[in-house]
Amino acid sequence: MLKYIVIALLNAIIAQETLATQRAIAQTVECDILVVGAGLAGVAASHEALLAGKTVCMTEITDWMGGQISSQGTSALDERSTQRSLLFYPRGYLELRQRIAEHYGKLNPGDCWVSDSCFLPRDGHDLLLTQLQEAAKSGKGNLHWFPSTVIKELEKSESGNWINAAIAIQHQPHPDTPPLNTFPLSQTIQDWYSYSDSPNFQKKIIRFTYPASVPGDWYVIEATETGEIIALADVPYRLGIDPLSHFEPSSSSEMGDSYCTQGFTYTFALEQTETKQSYEMPSFYPQHAHYYSYELSRFADLDLLFTYRRIWSAETGEWQTVGGISFTSPTPGDISMQNWTWGNDYRPGNPEDNLIYTREQLKATGQLHPGGWKGGLRTETLHKGEEHALGFFYWLAMGTTDSQLGTGVKQPYPYYRLLQGPDTAMGTSHGLSKYPYIREGRRIIGRPSFGYPEGFTIREIDISRRNYQDPYYRENLPPETYRRLESMISGLEGTPRPSRKRSTIYPDGVGIGHYAIDFHPCMEDSPPESAGNRERSRERKGAGMAYPFQIPLRAMIPQNIDNLLVAGKSIATSHIASAAYRVHSFEWSSGAAAGITAVFALEQDVIPYQLIETMPRPSDELKLLQKKLNENGNPTAFPNTSIFNESWDDWE
């Protein structure tokens, strides 16, 4: 009983703080479109809306826009070779690639081998900011950019189906206190969600709302990395593993598991040095040393690992080949960004350590009460992820263990320097990325539709190239589930076949993407770095090649809230499908689709859900939206997409 009395008192205090802040709003900002989150999806949405002449407010928890390519440090563009050879991307993404090439004089200043473009994260922010400023000038739009800003509360209509305003908190360091990015995220994130000033930060409370001239006529685009707004709005969503079914035949869990999401990663940049460096073993290193590994024997080479995501190379080294991969050797002054599965990936997957809180955990911690929102993340796990990443740097330089390959494989190499400081690649004093790279967040459940009575979702079988006649599926799926699976992937003639020949074609397609179903599974036990731990059993079963796919509008429209659109990793996908729907060009395409859809809704006086009410038959309004997308250089389908075209095997 005492526990519940304490919770009630805390909720009362939170409510009092909320009421007090309503009288302390420092600024009210009117926008046609509020974009929450300035990752690639948010930037793309803003880009298209600005070109259309709209007033855009864009908030971001860090002080850099760009997400994956900047504040999260993964500035190595994940692209598939066939799509890249055709340069079949949204216009804004193509412009970004061109800006990178013009800035450095070449597209790949890092001379990395994982991508055709690896570059410095700090430049990602600058390039995108310039791109948005020029889009605003060209389209006569207005950009209101709010870095270091989080959304704290939503004001809804009396019916609850319309967001009327969003209350935000912008933080800045007090004079004579350490600058932004001095402390790791885990030490500051809870402070950022508090209305009150703190010893380190002064707060400004901002209310975003619709233009006074057109009451209620605005849209909010959810483009955060973890799905903050869908949690705060409390719309239906999923988190983690979906239950095994004929739609998700490779699922690792019969009942589902909301705690097991893909691992997150604090990236960092290290510089190759000419002279030997000295290092002090971190106090936490022995706890994490049991985890680190080259992973595979063909990767057991530090030069290979360094050049994998090398983001800056001033000189061209000698060519060498390791494990069948050719690359130029590192030279002093080269900079590498590290993002390695058995390195700085941190992979919790249990209720005591999961990073992204479930709805039940949010309720238990008071974050769904008025004024109670704190970002929806477990700060202790963020902290462990930070230690884990710094431990990996020490392992690269001085480690002598390998969890997967055994003893005698890893040798010390004290010629690396962790880059720390505001002017370095990551822009932080501690050397880690400003925000972790998030591979999977909360994923909405779309509105019920024809064929989707429980809500629209993009599923494993919609995109996977897997051979479902593999004995694994016959032996492990219940007979009725396997029979339904066979029926789902049969050809037009109805005869069983081992796999699909193309991805599902959506009549409401508004964007495109192509990437493998790529897994960084959660670990079996807690803590994830514990000695002898292993990846969650069967989690990689769904991994593999995928066909080029579409982004359907139904995947971007949540239930219950009519003026909210979702872009980026929180669209309606399953756990397995989301492993492909998460890379750079997909994020841009989904954001561009959200931005243009919001503009279309404002100009045509239509609500987005009305565009999909006639599914699977597209309405005239939907066809007009798709026409605008395609004419504006934002493809809604890949070339030759047709139910009669099953020749997709050559797409790599």
Side-chain angles (χ1 to χ4, degrees):
M1 178 64 70
L2 178 61
K3 171 184 174 183
Y4 296 105
I5 293 174
V6 170
I7 291 175
L9 288 172
L10 287 174
N11 290 339
I13 292 170
I14 289 170
Q16 289 174 1
E17 182 188 21
T18 303
L19 292 174
T21 56
Q22 295 300 319
R23 298 190 295 272
I25 290 173
Q27 182 182 9
T28 296
V29 186
E30 297 177 358
C31 353
D32 296 317
I33 299 171
L34 170 62
V35 179
V36 185
L40 289 178
V43 170
S46 300
H47 181 254
E48 291 297 337
L50 291 168
L51 287 172
K54 300 305 178 185
T55 296
V56 177
C57 300
M58 183 169 68
T59 68
E60 165 60 20
I61 188 172
T62 73
D63 58 339
W64 279 357
M65 63 176 68
Q68 289 195 50
I69 69 166
S70 59
S71 59
Q72 297 171 42
T74 52
S75 52
L77 301 181
D78 286 320
E79 299 171 346
R80 295 289 86 186
S81 57
T82 304
Q83 186 180 11
R84 183 172 57 227
S85 69
L86 298 174
L87 290 178
F88 201 73
Y89 298 110
R91 62 175 175 179
Y93 184 81
L94 289 172
E95 181 180 339
L96 171 61
R97 292 173 101 256
Q98 183 62 33
R99 287 179 181 274
I100 294 168
E102 291 175 354
H103 178 74
Y104 292 105
K106 54 184 175 181
L107 186 60
N108 191 3
D111 196 20
C112 65
W113 56 266
V114 71
S115 171
D116 270 14
S117 184
C118 292
F119 52 95
L120 298 169
R122 68 175 185 230
D123 292 333
H125 163 75
D126 293 336
L127 293 171
L128 288 172
L129 180 58
T130 300
Q131 186 169 339
L132 289 191
Q133 290 170 338
E134 293 185 5
K137 183 178 179 180
S138 173
K140 296 181 173 55
N142 294 297
L143 173 64
H144 300 302
W145 161 229
F146 292 87
S148 305
T149 301
V150 299
I151 301 298
K152 177 72 172 178
E153 297 185 72
L154 300 175
E155 296 178 7
K156 298 181 186 177
S157 63
E158 187 175 343
S159 61
N161 68 332
W162 201 266
I163 297 173
N164 286 331
I167 309 301
I169 305 170
Q170 186 173 51
H171 61 269
Q172 289 295 331
H174 287 291
D176 303 320
T177 59
L180 288 174
N181 307 305
T182 297
F183 306 107
L185 181 68
S186 66
Q187 296 182 30
T188 56
I189 188 170
Q190 293 292 293
D191 189 349
W192 295 348
Y193 284 89
S194 171
Y195 283 121
S196 303
D197 287 354
S198 67
N200 286 324
F201 298 103
Q202 54 189 356
K203 312 293 178 56
K204 179 180 180 180
I205 303 172
I206 304 166
R207 184 175 186 266
F208 297 105
T209 190
Y210 46 75
S213 59
V214 281
D217 202 13
W218 78 323
Y219 282 89
V220 178
I221 295 177
E222 152 70 271
T224 65
E225 300 302 321
T226 60
E228 284 194 50
I229 300 305
I230 63 176
L232 188 55
D234 203 20
V235 300
Y237 62 87
R238 296 186 180 94
L239 190 61
I241 302 171
D242 300 283
L244 184 73
S245 71
H246 61 288
F247 297 127
E248 305 293 325
S250 302
S251 174
S252 63
S253 173
E254 290 187 9
M255 303 301 294
D257 187 340
S258 58
Y259 305 112
C260 178
T261 58
Q262 292 225 36
F264 69 93
T265 308
Y266 276 103
T267 61
F268 57 85
L270 65 157
E271 181 183 33
Q272 179 95 6
T273 64
E274 192 168 6
T275 58
K276 184 181 293 188
Q277 306 293 300
S278 60
Y279 314 92
E280 182 177 341
M281 180 187 291
S283 60
F284 49 79
Y285 179 74
Q287 179 180 345
H288 295 263
H290 306 288
Y291 176 89
Y292 307 123
S293 174
Y294 285 118
E295 185 174 359
L296 300 172
S297 57
R298 66 188 180 95
F299 294 151
D301 182 271
L302 283 175
D303 283 355
L304 184 80
L305 198 58
F306 185 94
T307 57
Y308 181 53
R309 285 188 170 92
R310 179 171 49 190
I311 55 178
W312 175 254
S313 179
E315 299 180 16
T316 301
E318 297 293 326
W319 280 96
Q320 61 173 303
T321 301
V322 175
I325 299 169
S326 296
F327 56 91
T328 57
S329 301
T331 59
D334 284 5
I335 300 172
S336 173
M337 176 267 292
Q338 288 299 308
N339 173 21
W340 193 249
T341 305
W342 285 94
N344 45 341
D345 274 14
Y346 198 63
R347 302 192 274 164
N350 290 280
E352 62 269 29
D353 62 12
N354 64 310
L355 174 65
I356 302 173
Y357 280 148
T358 65
R359 187 178 187 277
E360 290 72 24
Q361 290 172 322
L362 291 173
K363 288 177 64 178
T365 56
Q367 294 201 49
L368 296 184
H369 292 290
W373 183 249
K374 291 287 186 179
L377 302 180
R378 190 190 302 268
T379 53
E380 298 87 352
T381 296
L382 284 174
H383 176 64
K384 292 292 291 292
E386 291 157 358
E387 290 186 338
H388 190 70
L390 292 171
F392 182 51
F393 170 76
Y394 184 81
W395 182 85
L396 289 169
M398 299 300 293
T400 58
T401 61
D402 190 300
S403 66
Q404 305 302 300
L405 302 181
T407 59
V409 176
K410 176 64 173 67
Q411 302 299 320
Y413 186 77
Y415 293 90
Y416 294 141
R417 180 168 69 93
L418 179 65
L419 295 182
Q420 298 170 298
D423 297 325
T424 59
M426 296 294 171
T428 63
S429 298
H430 45 80
L432 301 177
S433 54
K434 300 184 178 193
Y435 197 88
Y437 172 39
I438 303 293
R439 294 181 177 85
E440 180 185 359
R442 301 177 183 90
R443 313 180 309 272
I444 64 166
I445 302 171
R447 301 192 178 204
S449 175
F450 180 83
Y452 302 87
E454 297 179 359
F456 182 85
T457 301
I458 302 166
R459 306 159 300 198
E460 171 192 347
I461 63 167
D462 289 319
I463 63 171
S464 178
R465 297 193 190 195
R466 292 205 69 81
N467 175 7
Y468 291 113
Q469 288 184 353
D470 185 300
Y472 171 86
Y473 296 99
R474 292 182 179 275
E475 295 168 5
N476 287 279
L477 293 181
E480 177 60 17
T481 300
Y482 188 75
R483 185 195 67 76
R484 297 182 72 181
L485 171 62
E486 280 191 313
S487 175
M488 292 296 296
I489 63 171
S490 62
L492 292 174
E493 68 285 353
T495 56
R497 57 186 182 184
S499 62
R500 297 189 66 104
K501 296 301 181 183
R502 55 166 172 76
S503 63
T504 296
I505 297 174
Y506 296 106
D508 57 335
V510 289
I512 58 169
H514 190 205
Y515 200 67
I517 301 173
D518 179 32
F519 270 100
H520 296 239
C522 75
M523 302 298 282
E524 196 75 51
D525 300 322
S526 178
E529 72 275 11
S530 58
N533 207 352
R534 60 203 180 280
E535 294 180 346
R536 181 68 61 89
S537 176
R538 298 184 299 167
E539 255 296 87
R540 287 188 184 268
K541 190 63 185 177
M545 299 303 295
Y547 290 109
F549 48 76
Q550 291 177 284
I551 304 167
L553 183 58
R554 281 170 292 175
M556 301 170 61
I557 299 176
Q559 299 181 34
N560 302 339
I561 305 291
D562 293 340
N563 67 331
L564 178 63
L565 289 166
V566 179
K569 292 183 281 284
S570 288
I571 69 169
T573 60
S574 71
H575 172 66
I576 292 176
S578 73
Y581 280 78
R582 65 174 174 83
V583 296
H584 304 80
S585 64
F586 150 74
E587 280 209 27
W588 193 285
S589 187
S590 70
I596 292 177
T597 299
V599 170
F600 183 85
L602 290 169
E603 295 181 346
Q604 300 293 321
D605 193 24
V606 63
I607 302 173
Y609 79 83
Q610 295 173 331
L611 299 172
I612 58 171
E613 285 185 311
T614 60
M615 286 293 104
R617 179 178 57 82
S619 65
D620 291 340
E621 291 85 357
L622 176 58
K623 291 177 183 178
L624 180 59
L625 169 63
Q626 292 171 319
K627 183 173 183 288
K628 289 179 71 71
L629 282 158
N630 287 307
E631 288 178 346
N632 286 343
N634 291 289
T636 62
F638 282 93
N640 302 316
T641 295
S642 163
I643 61 171
F644 302 107
N645 179 17
E646 297 188 335
S647 301
W648 295 93
D649 289 341
D650 291 339
W651 277 73
E652 297 179 355

